[in-house]
Amino acid sequence: MAARRALTIGLIPGDGIGKEVIPAGRRVLEALPASLGLKFDFIDLKAGWETFEQTGVALPEETVQTLSSCNGGLFGAVSSPTTAVKGYSSPIVALRKRLALYANVRPVKSVATAAKPIDMVIVRENTEDLYVKEEKTYDTPEGKVAEAIKRISERASTNIATIAGEIALRRQKIRASGAPSIHKGPLVTVTHKSNVLSQTDGLFRTAAKAALADPRFSSVAVEEQIVDSMVYKLFRQPEAYDVIVAPNLYGDILSDGAAALVGSLGLVPSANVGKTFALGEPCHGSAPDIQGQGISNPIATIRSAALMLEFLDEEEAAAKIYAAVDANLEEGKLLSPDLGGTAKTEEVVQDILRRL
Ligand SMILES: NC(=O)C1=CN([C@@H]2O[C@H](COP(=O)(O)OP(=O)(O)OC[C@H]3O[C@@H](n4cnc5c(N)ncnc54)[C@H](O)[C@@H]3O)[C@@H](O)[C@H]2O)C=CC1
Ligand SMILES: O=C(O)CCCC(=O)C(=O)O
């Protein structure tokens, strides 16, 4: 049967467990039933610390150019150093800006059998805030001082709130079709710290609320919450959240915290979303503490591949992957050690492939 659609997918494993989980994402895409009519061409691309050590460049220009000609991509993780290294800058942070991937969409969902149901999407602004990485250190008579720019623009805040509103509407449509849900109606929670940062977070707050006041979001309830009490409520009452929209850094921190609530960072996917391109990326990093042992959880990456497909309008294919992963988790027999199991990465992948 001729394929209905050919998708070229750039694969950037990066460092550490990125090299273990990206092949899992690829294999799951390749194993999708032929009846879906999808054909995948994969292109292997380089970025990360190892690439930097080999070539002196962490994000080769060829990677950026090739990726920008692909339909989508999968990014594993990179091992960025915690102290400044001349010439090195985080490739994923750079890629998000270079490819105008303005939204980082991070669904955090518990399995149906969980004691405490959680079903939220964290929509993180992906190009600015402290991630503009404009830092400097200077000497003063009292010693060194370091400063960083926190840049918030009306345009990026409007764009991120708009996609958050659209996601809330889409989730509501799925619920209306009869899908079981813990939420009654669509809700977007605007997160900020504008009680202290009245200009930067203040602009994020007003622009986000103005965007969500658009008549097409009239059915979406909008709440706001200061980020510190947000963490408190997130841990006590996570079921209260539907869609959370946040500036870049808060979104990053909130999503790792939310991952703990559903059992592991190894479960939580993300998609870096642009106007016509999506780059799936597990929320976790390169996990040097477990790399090379064959025990990393591939599910965050497998779900990221599905999320990428959703943003490429291949929702049926995405749903098949989510269902296979959920079945693996709900049965609970082949779980990786981060979830309390003893299964190797390969065994988890095999189990999910079998269920596809
Ligand atoms: N997008 C990216 O490329 C990111 C890269 N990093 C980089 O990763 C490196 C390590 O950072 P950490 O703070 O340790 O965060 P991390 O996310 O790599 O690991 C945190 C903890 O979660 C566990 N974990 C993460 N993913 C897992 C998986 N799939 N299966 C099982 N356990 C998993 C790790 O073993 C570790 O105990 C750093 O160099 C950092 O720069 C961190 C976050 C994102
Ligand atoms: O380590 C790196 O290079 C990037 C880590 C950044 C990060 O956690 C995120 O923004 O998702």
Side-chain angles (χ1 to χ4, degrees):
M1 188 175 62
R4 173 180 54 80
R5 189 177 181 199
L7 293 172
T8 306
I9 307 295
L11 298 176
I12 309 178
D15 302 307
I17 66 164
K19 291 184 197 296
E20 302 169 23
V21 293
I22 289 298
R26 173 182 177 149
R27 284 164 68 195
V28 165
L29 290 174
E30 284 173 329
L32 280 168
S35 56
L36 289 166
L38 289 175
K39 174 181 175 297
F40 294 98
D41 291 309
F42 295 98
I43 305 182
D44 294 318
L45 298 167
K46 287 187 185 307
W49 176 251
E50 215 175 280
T51 302
F52 178 76
E53 283 194 314
Q54 287 161 2
T55 66
V57 181
L59 179 63
E61 194 53 31
E62 192 192 333
T63 296
V64 182
Q65 294 309 327
T66 308
L67 200 58
S68 62
S69 68
C70 292
N71 299 97
L74 283 180
F75 185 97
V78 290
S79 293
S80 293
T82 45
T83 49
V85 173
K86 199 171 176 334
Y88 183 91
S89 187
S90 169
I92 183 63
V93 173
L95 257 184
R96 292 168 182 160
K97 288 181 219 161
R98 289 286 305 273
L99 300 185
L101 304 176
Y102 70 101
N104 195 310
V105 179
R106 301 184 152 189
V108 185
K109 193 169 189 246
S110 55
V111 286
T113 46
K116 194 155 185 141
I118 295 173
D119 181 9
M120 69 180 86
V121 180
I122 297 172
V123 181
R124 164 188 175 192
E125 199 289 319
N126 214 22
T127 59
E128 55 180 30
D129 193 4
L130 283 159
Y131 280 68
V132 295
K133 286 161 53 76
E134 290 178 29
E135 297 182 283
K136 65 178 177 193
T137 306
Y138 52 91
D139 291 309
T140 72
E142 289 81 37
K144 285 189 188 308
V145 173
E147 288 176 1
I149 301 278
K150 176 179 164 89
R151 182 169 298 123
I152 301 285
S153 70
E154 187 174 27
R155 184 161 167 263
S157 307
T158 301
N159 287 343
I160 199 67
T162 302
I163 190 173
E166 288 165 356
I167 289 169
L169 288 178
R170 194 159 76 213
R171 282 161 64 81
Q172 184 59 21
K173 202 167 147 196
I174 295 167
R175 285 174 211 147
S177 70
S181 172
I182 58 170
H183 299 294
K184 290 196 182 67
L187 166 69
V188 177
T189 306
V190 177
T191 310
H192 58 77
K193 183 82 187 173
S194 69
N195 51 328
V196 177
L197 300 165
S198 58
Q199 305 240 358
T200 47
D201 281 12
L203 179 58
F204 181 84
R205 171 180 176 268
T206 48
K209 287 175 72 171
L212 290 162
D214 188 281
R216 74 189 167 112
F217 300 130
S218 58
S219 64
V220 178
V222 179
E223 287 179 352
E224 60 176 294
Q225 191 154 7
I226 295 171
V227 67
D228 42 356
S229 65
M230 171 101 197
V231 173
Y232 180 73
K233 190 167 163 191
L234 191 66
F235 279 71
R236 286 179 71 98
Q237 216 187 326
E239 68 281 5
Y241 294 105
D242 180 13
V243 176
I244 293 169
V245 62
N248 204 336
L249 183 60
Y250 304 153
D252 190 22
I253 296 169
L254 287 173
S255 49
D256 274 34
L261 296 171
V262 291
S264 172
L265 256 178
L267 291 176
V268 179
S270 83
N272 299 276
V273 180
K275 293 288 177 209
T276 58
F277 181 86
L279 179 67
E281 178 201 348
C283 283
H284 61 75
S286 60
D289 54 339
I290 58 164
Q291 77 178 67
Q293 297 174 41
I295 56 165
S296 54
N297 190 339
I299 287 179
T301 299
I302 292 170
R303 283 178 163 165
S304 300
L307 196 56
M308 174 197 75
L309 287 176
E310 267 190 69
F311 282 97
L312 300 180
D313 296 323
E314 295 295 343
E315 283 167 10
E316 195 185 343
K320 287 223 177 314
I321 298 176
Y322 291 134
V325 168
D326 286 352
N328 160 276
L329 291 171
E330 278 160 27
E331 188 186 71
K333 283 193 182 147
L334 283 168
L335 300 179
S336 49
D338 54 314
L339 295 174
T342 54
K344 295 275 195 183
T345 308
E346 180 57 26
E347 291 172 287
V348 179
V349 175
Q350 288 291 350
D351 189 53
I352 291 169
L353 290 175
R354 182 176 64 78
R355 292 169 194 276
L356 270 176

